[in-house]
Amino acid sequence: MPGRSKRKPPEPAAPKSVPQAVVNRLSYYLRELQHLLRQGVQTISSSQLGQRLGFTDAQVRKDLAYFGQFGYPGIGYRCHELAEAIRRILGTDQQWPVALVGVGHLGQALLGYKGFSQQGFVFEAAFDVDPELIGRQLAGIRVYHLDRLPQIVQSHKIRLGIIAVPASAAQAVADRLVESGIQGILNFAPVTITVPPQVSLVGVDLAMELEQLSFSVLHRQRESR
Amino acid sequence: MPGRSKRKPPEPAAPKSVPQAVVNRLSYYLRELQHLLRQGVQTISSSQLGQRLGFTDAQVRKDLAYFGQFGYPGIGYRCHELAEAIRRILGTDQQWPVALVGVGHLGQALLGYKGFSQQGFVFEAAFDVDPELIGRQLAGIRVYHLDRLPQIVQSHKIRLGIIAVPASAAQAVADRLVESGIQGILNFAPVTITVPPQVSLVGVDLAMELEQLSFSVLHRQRESR
DNA sequence: TGGTGTGAATGCCTTCACAGCG
DNA sequence: CGCTGTGAAGGCATTCACACCA
């Protein structure tokens, strides 16, 4: 292992409170670094990295500075090293067992999506209430009745849950996920759901993304995300 | 029509430059208002609306003030009226013809997703390069070869494009969408794509959303979106 | 009384600019 | 010389607090 001496502790975690926007950009940095690595790029400067993503060089450096010192003056950042560090920060250096609830069109698409496992998110089980689906295997994942959620979450040590059920069922499903001891929820149902503070929640509303786009087209502002 | 007299012009557009975050919240307001309306709620105050979404009352009022005056002192906001106004601002009072490019798992799920049409986004055509798919109808939408994109975008007056192809093909598809005269792109491929400034761009990276979640779980911050 | 709209104050994030290092 | 890390400055966005209205 590279035993560099004076360099801040290899950032095990976030120091104080990191702006949400910074964490968001971290994901962009990681994605870009992974592309660069695939192309064989070894090092990159903050300005080059920023340019590719539409951020300033100062922003890149400040963002990374929240978590430690990763750069080499005169050189830039070593892509592999930095990617590794960001993975550790985001948690994608570990495996995250995931449960999917709701095996409709969207749910099935998510089960088949390769991008998740590449970042360490692995589906352990899927759940639904439709008797047609229960007992089947989809993309290699077994579908269980929703009632078996607590049992299987615990036995498979599942930490994250994805909600892909109709809006009307989303809050009830969220409640059951929370009861089952899940730590974070990604909600695709187009409703606001509430969870206790010790559970993390991220929502994605596909129609809302299109709304942001139509607004942007109508008022012709610059690009968004 | 309700002929109220002194009240700012019914906000045809955004005045100067509206923060992106405000536009984002507008979508949340609209979604919540639509729920409220379904429950028969007539009016709501900024504090009630904010509470349901985790925003402060001042924030709600400020956000709306960017676009005009919608509230009634002592009463709050009339849900129907406000929803209507926000739809006009976001552009979802009109119909937006949409083209889907990439009819894999995710693409098919999007074609079948009801939530889009409810907000005025209607798929006019889908495109792929897989001979297996071309000529078929999926969820009532015809799948064409990608080469026919310019022709069909123009004949159907398609304004928005959704990219649901592998990362490696995304930029090329984006270029073709732009050439075809599309005005906005929603990109689901996990890559940064670039488009000319007159074209709007919104990106959604599903794995990135899970990364935000795992970070949040690891560092146990409060909920995100 | 209950609630909006809005200037003023606050606080946070981004950008600047430069010392320091390889 | 090139490029990082970072205090200081600047610019936005959010919150406060209050005049005003029904």
Side-chain angles (χ1 to χ4, degrees):
Chain A
M1 329 61 271
R4 292 190 47 84
S5 50
K6 57 181 179 314
R7 180 153 283 267
K8 266 198 199 153
E11 43 36 61
K16 19 189 72 173
S17 87
V18 182
Q20 176 65 36
V22 172
V23 182
N24 205 23
R25 285 192 295 269
L26 238 39
S27 277
Y28 282 97
Y29 301 150
L30 177 57
R31 191 174 78 178
E32 204 61 32
L33 286 166
Q34 288 170 337
H35 281 295
L36 289 166
L37 282 167
R38 248 175 268 125
Q39 296 173 201
V41 177
Q42 299 273 336
T43 65
I44 192 163
S45 68
S46 56
S47 54
Q48 288 173 300
L49 182 54
Q51 193 145 38
R52 292 173 159 265
L53 294 165
F55 308 138
T56 67
D57 56 334
Q59 177 118 77
V60 173
R61 293 197 300 275
K62 257 280 149 70
D63 285 352
L64 297 175
Y66 274 97
F67 302 96
Q69 319 210 130
F70 308 105
Y72 299 83
I75 306 287
Y77 300 86
R78 302 209 202 288
C79 295
H80 183 75
E81 190 181 305
L82 182 56
E84 203 64 33
I86 297 181
R87 265 194 291 271
R88 208 153 37 235
I89 295 164
L90 292 175
T92 56
D93 60 329
Q94 30 180 303
Q95 299 255 111
W96 291 83
V98 177
L100 173 76
V101 185
V103 191
H105 284 117
L106 179 60
Q108 294 189 32
L110 296 174
L111 282 181
Y113 187 59
K114 303 289 178 197
F116 291 142
S117 57
Q118 285 167 15
Q119 302 299 328
F121 301 103
V122 292
F123 287 109
E124 291 288 331
F127 299 86
D128 207 302
V129 290
D130 180 352
E132 287 289 301
L133 291 165
I134 292 163
R136 289 226 257 157
Q137 292 241 137
L138 270 55
I141 308 301
R142 179 85 182 277
V143 182
Y144 299 92
H145 190 282
L146 184 56
D147 289 340
R148 299 191 59 190
L149 188 65
Q151 178 206 329
I152 291 166
V153 163
Q154 262 139 60
S155 64
H156 287 60
K157 304 207 187 328
I158 293 171
R159 303 177 68 182
L160 303 179
I162 299 183
I163 297 180
V165 302
S168 53
Q171 182 62 60
V173 166
D175 294 343
R176 297 180 82 162
L177 281 167
V178 169
E179 282 171 40
S180 305
I182 221 94
Q183 298 178 63
I185 293 175
L186 177 55
N187 175 35
F188 284 97
V191 255
T192 303
I193 63 178
T194 49
V195 295
Q198 73 273 15
V199 176
S200 301
L201 177 65
V202 170
V204 177
D205 186 321
L206 300 174
M208 241 161 73
E209 305 290 348
L210 275 177
E211 288 173 9
Q212 299 297 301
L213 191 58
S214 64
F215 177 91
S216 176
V217 167
L218 275 183
H219 304 84
R220 218 151 295 275
Q221 302 195 325
R222 266 324 316 279
E223 54 188 86
S224 317
R225 289 206 304 165
Chain B
M1 46 224 73
R4 292 189 48 85
S5 50
K6 55 181 183 319
R7 181 155 283 266
K8 267 198 200 153
E11 42 37 56
K16 21 188 75 176
S17 88
V18 182
Q20 174 65 34
V22 171
V23 182
N24 205 19
R25 285 192 294 269
L26 238 39
S27 276
Y28 281 97
Y29 300 150
L30 177 56
R31 190 174 78 177
E32 203 61 33
L33 287 166
Q34 288 171 335
H35 281 294
L36 289 165
L37 282 167
R38 249 175 267 124
Q39 296 171 204
V41 178
Q42 299 273 337
T43 67
I44 192 162
S45 67
S46 58
S47 54
Q48 289 173 298
L49 182 54
Q51 192 144 38
R52 290 171 161 267
L53 295 166
F55 307 138
T56 67
D57 56 335
Q59 177 119 78
V60 173
R61 293 198 301 275
K62 258 281 150 70
D63 285 351
L64 297 175
Y66 274 97
F67 301 96
Q69 319 209 130
F70 308 105
Y72 299 83
I75 306 288
Y77 301 86
R78 303 211 202 288
C79 294
H80 183 76
E81 190 181 307
L82 182 56
E84 204 65 32
I86 296 180
R87 266 193 290 271
R88 209 153 38 234
I89 295 164
L90 292 176
T92 56
D93 60 329
Q94 28 181 306
Q95 297 256 111
W96 291 82
V98 177
L100 173 75
V101 184
V103 192
H105 285 119
L106 180 60
Q108 293 189 33
L110 296 173
L111 283 180
Y113 188 59
K114 303 292 181 196
F116 291 141
S117 57
Q118 286 167 13
Q119 303 299 327
F121 302 102
V122 292
F123 286 109
E124 290 288 330
F127 299 86
D128 208 303
V129 290
D130 180 353
E132 287 289 301
L133 291 165
I134 291 162
R136 289 226 257 158
Q137 293 243 137
L138 270 56
I141 308 300
R142 180 84 182 278
V143 181
Y144 299 92
H145 191 281
L146 184 56
D147 289 340
R148 302 191 59 191
L149 188 66
Q151 179 205 331
I152 290 165
V153 163
Q154 261 139 62
S155 65
H156 286 62
K157 304 204 188 328
I158 292 172
R159 304 178 67 184
L160 303 180
I162 300 183
I163 296 179
V165 302
S168 54
Q171 182 63 61
V173 167
D175 293 343
R176 298 181 82 161
L177 282 166
V178 170
E179 281 170 40
S180 305
I182 222 93
Q183 298 177 65
I185 293 176
L186 177 55
N187 175 35
F188 283 97
V191 255
T192 305
I193 62 177
T194 49
V195 295
Q198 73 273 14
V199 175
S200 300
L201 176 64
V202 170
V204 176
D205 185 321
L206 299 175
M208 239 161 76
E209 304 291 348
L210 274 177
E211 288 173 9
Q212 299 297 301
L213 191 59
S214 63
F215 176 92
S216 175
V217 167
L218 275 183
H219 305 85
R220 218 151 296 276
Q221 302 193 328
R222 267 323 317 280
E223 54 187 88
S224 317
R225 294 203 303 167

